[in-house]
């Protein structure tokens, strides 16, 4: 994300002249000056993507970019081998949850999870991710009913339209048998998106939802990727109107989440993927 907010600065009292910030900047926006202190290179504003690597790699907290205060950054912890089995078990234990308690997740937990989305990596540090979250089960139920009614109407009025045929059984399953095959009874939904001009716009929101999922699982919540709603959006675009993104971006994917109705007691036993080793 090119920006005029570059404003690279160095605290000369802290800087040791180690050059780590210069070496770390793959865009060559920083160079060493004659005084042995790092300084902006020629056309730095055009080169810098504000990744903040220069600031985070500095061992003494001497440099800053974009007017940020180094002291506001968290200190990183050294790698901890003891964390690996815990993280591994968390990932192994993740399940696609299709049965949820019919209650809201505490709003403070939702706000905590959404606040973490600012740390999601994006291509070229573009950072223009946006989200829509249905935070209340009553709002979710209204949208749920609206979607099934719309599908029912279109399948009734256009029974031979190939756009709607894949969803023709959904309303009957929902209204007559109580089977919510689209939303899986989830009380909440998060939709992630990005603008059309995003360099990696189709991938960034998927990375964001992957990160959201891990954090949600660590908080005791369940999730499921909702591919069916994305297929429905393609066939019936107007169903996106009530869940549009705050900045008008493109909805790239959706995830359902909530408190699982029950817990899984052990991990699954998936097949090992095919791997091509080189070298």
């Amino acid at each position: 994300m090119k920006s005029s907010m570059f404003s690279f600065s160095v605290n000369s009292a802290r800087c040791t002249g180690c050059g780590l910030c210069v070496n770390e900047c793959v865009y060559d926006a920083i160079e060493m000056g004659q005084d042995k202190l790092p300084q902006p290179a020629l056309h730095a504003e055009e080169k810098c993507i504000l990744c903040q690597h220069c600031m985070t790699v500095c061992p003494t907290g001497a440099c800053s970019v974009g007017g940020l205060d180094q002291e506001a950054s968290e200190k990183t912890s050294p790698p901890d081998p003891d964390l690996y089995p815990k993280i591994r078990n968390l990932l192994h234990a993740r399940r696609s949850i299709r049965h949820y308690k019919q209650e809201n997740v505490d709003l403070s937990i939702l706000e905590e999870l959404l606040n973490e989305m600012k740390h999601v990596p994006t291509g070229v540090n573009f950072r223009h991710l946006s989200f829509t979250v249905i935070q209340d089960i009553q709002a979710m139920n209204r949208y749920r009913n609206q979607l099934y009614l719309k599908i029912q109407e279109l399948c009734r009025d256009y029974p031979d339209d190939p756009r709607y045929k894949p969803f023709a059984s959904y309303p009957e399953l929902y209204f007559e048998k109580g089977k919510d095959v689209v939303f899986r009874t989830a009380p909440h939904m998060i939709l992630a998106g990005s603008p059309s001009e995003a360099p990696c716009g189709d991938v960034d929101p998927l990375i964001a939802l992957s990160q959201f999922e891990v954090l949600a699982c660590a908080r005791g919540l369940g999730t499921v990727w909702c591919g069916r709603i994305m297929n429905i959006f393609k066939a019936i675009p107007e169903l996106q109107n009530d869940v549009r993104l705050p900045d008008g971006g493109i909805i790239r994917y959706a995830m359902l989440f909530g408190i699982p109705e029950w817990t899984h007691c052990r991990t699954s036993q998936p097949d090992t993927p095919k791997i091509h080793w080189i070298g």
Side-chain angles (χ1 to χ4, degrees), residues 3 19 58 90 96 103 126 157-158 173 216 223 251 274:
S3 173
C58 180
L90 178 67
S96 292
E103 59 186 78
F126 192 70
D157 295 345
Y158 308 98
L173 288 170
T223 63
I251 295 174
K274 294 179 180 179

Side-chain angles (χ1 to χ4, degrees), residues 23-216:
N23 293 331
E24 179 65 16
C25 183
V26 298
Y27 293 96
D28 298 323
I30 308 170
E31 63 184 11
M32 292 301 289
Q34 293 183 351
D35 55 1
K36 304 301 182 182
L37 294 176
Q39 65 182 27
L42 188 65
H43 304 305
E45 291 86 353
E46 300 172 13
K47 299 175 180 178
C48 178
I49 62 168
L50 289 178
C51 66
Q52 303 179 33
H53 280 211
C54 56
M55 186 174 75
T56 59
V57 79
C58 180
T60 61
C63 58
S64 176
V65 66
L68 298 172
D69 179 8
Q70 307 96 316
E71 299 302 323
S73 294
E74 298 176 57
K75 297 291 185 181
T76 57
S77 301
D80 183 357
D82 293 335
L83 282 179
Y84 179 78
K86 296 179 181 179
I87 296 173
R88 182 187 62 189
N89 183 259
L90 178 67
L91 295 174
H92 288 189
R94 188 217 67 85
R95 298 283 85 204
S96 292
I97 301 301
R98 302 183 181 95
H99 302 276
Y100 293 88
K101 292 183 179 180
Q102 297 306 292
E103 59 186 78
N104 286 329
V105 173
D106 188 275
L107 182 58
S108 65
I109 295 178
L110 296 186
E111 291 175 338
E112 173 189 294
L113 294 175
L114 268 294
N115 186 54
E116 293 302 323
M117 294 300 95
K118 65 188 179 185
H119 291 286
V120 171
T122 58
V124 201
N125 202 46
F126 192 70
R127 311 227 50 84
H128 288 306
L129 287 170
S130 56
F131 304 90
T132 289
V133 181
I134 300 182
Q135 68 178 50
D136 182 75
I137 192 171
Q138 293 184 359
M140 187 69 193
N141 286 337
R142 287 194 298 271
Y143 187 71
R144 197 187 325 261
N145 288 330
Q146 174 191 340
L147 178 135
Y148 283 115
L149 286 170
K150 185 63 177 179
I151 293 174
Q152 185 178 62
E153 172 192 334
L154 291 171
C155 289
R156 181 190 65 231
D157 295 345
Y158 308 98
D160 298 322
D161 194 316
R163 291 176 296 174
Y164 314 132
K165 274 190 173 182
F167 323 123
S169 64
Y170 293 1
E172 179 182 356
L173 288 170
Y174 180 69
F175 291 117
E176 298 185 19
K177 299 182 179 181
K179 292 187 177 181
D180 180 10
V181 297
V182 177
F183 300 107
R184 303 297 185 183
T185 75
H188 305 290
M189 179 167 65
I190 177 172
L191 302 113
S194 56
S196 58
E197 67 270 19
C200 303
D202 56 340
V203 176
D204 293 341
L206 299 181
I207 296 173
L209 289 179
S210 296
Q211 193 157 309
F212 176 89
E213 179 177 51
V214 172
L215 292 168

